[in-house]
Amino acid sequence: GITPQGWMRDWPRERGGRVQTTQLRLPVDLVNRIDCAIVSDEEIFQARDVIERVGERRMSVVTRGPLGATIYHGMRPDEAEGLRPGAKRYKTLEIPGYDVKVKSLTGAGDVFAAAFFMKAAERTSSALEAGRFANVVAALSLREIGVGSVPSRKEINEALKHYE
């Protein structure tokens, strides 16, 4: 899995050194080896092609802050049957946000990505389960400041019982 934000940054020192966002461009052979890519809704404009291509093969995620996340996941062969050449071969799944009182937004995207990759790596978890798990873990981590804000498994399981 990748979170390619660093690959979408340019630091042109000769023009004043201000960091600028750039289009995500990855070699096709690398894209074909990625199982999951995660970007935010602010970054999708620079990464749409990669997110869609990875989503067709496996899955990709666009995080949307308090609104949750959108998961792009590949179609089964029978679902893709009959599609015209060049048609998108992925579906999207909207995962709603999990409401908490926020103290700090720092690290929410990193916590989401780590939780999503961890849950998605379990053979028995679906994309929906991974997305819901990651949303809850990231949201609960916003309640406090610092590393100690990452919730316990008990807190996560309790929140998942009440998550719609």
Side-chain angles (χ1 to χ4, degrees):
I2 65 166
T3 57
Q5 292 81 356
W7 294 335
M8 297 184 312
R9 305 289 186 267
D10 184 29
W11 187 18
R13 293 179 205 171
E14 65 281 352
R15 293 190 311 250
R18 294 182 61 112
V19 174
Q20 301 169 341
T21 59
T22 63
Q23 194 70 22
L24 178 60
R25 290 184 179 83
L26 299 176
V28 173
D29 60 328
L30 175 58
V31 173
N32 290 338
R33 294 185 349 221
I34 297 169
D35 288 327
C36 183
I38 300 176
V39 297
S40 73
D41 55 357
E42 296 170 353
E43 299 159 333
I44 186 61
F45 304 105
Q46 287 89 21
R48 185 172 307 280
D49 185 50
V50 170
I51 292 298
E52 289 181 350
R53 287 190 295 159
V54 172
E56 286 181 336
R57 278 190 329 90
R58 296 288 297 208
M59 69 178 118
S60 291
V61 182
V62 177
T63 61
R64 298 180 296 121
L67 300 177
T70 303
I71 299 175
Y72 294 63
H73 61 95
M75 293 180 173
R76 294 187 320 262
D78 62 310
E79 293 174 318
E81 205 171 283
L83 288 177
R84 69 186 187 331
K88 301 297 182 190
R89 295 184 180 326
Y90 62 81
K91 291 182 174 183
T92 59
L93 178 61
E94 298 297 328
I95 310 292
Y98 184 81
D99 192 33
V100 296
K101 185 175 178 178
V102 176
K103 279 194 181 176
S104 174
L105 295 173
T106 304
D110 295 329
V111 171
F112 177 96
F116 188 90
F117 292 145
M118 184 179 83
K119 190 70 171 171
E122 295 175 357
R123 291 182 184 263
T124 58
S125 292
S126 67
L128 173 63
E129 291 169 321
R132 290 169 55 89
F133 180 81
N135 268 349
V136 165
V137 174
L140 293 177
S141 76
L142 302 176
R143 301 173 303 170
E144 296 297 331
I145 297 172
V147 176
S149 68
V150 176
S152 70
R153 191 60 181 235
K154 182 180 177 183
E155 289 176 289
I156 296 164
N157 289 339
E158 188 60 33
L160 283 169
K161 290 179 188 176
H162 307 288
Y163 183 43
E164 296 179 19

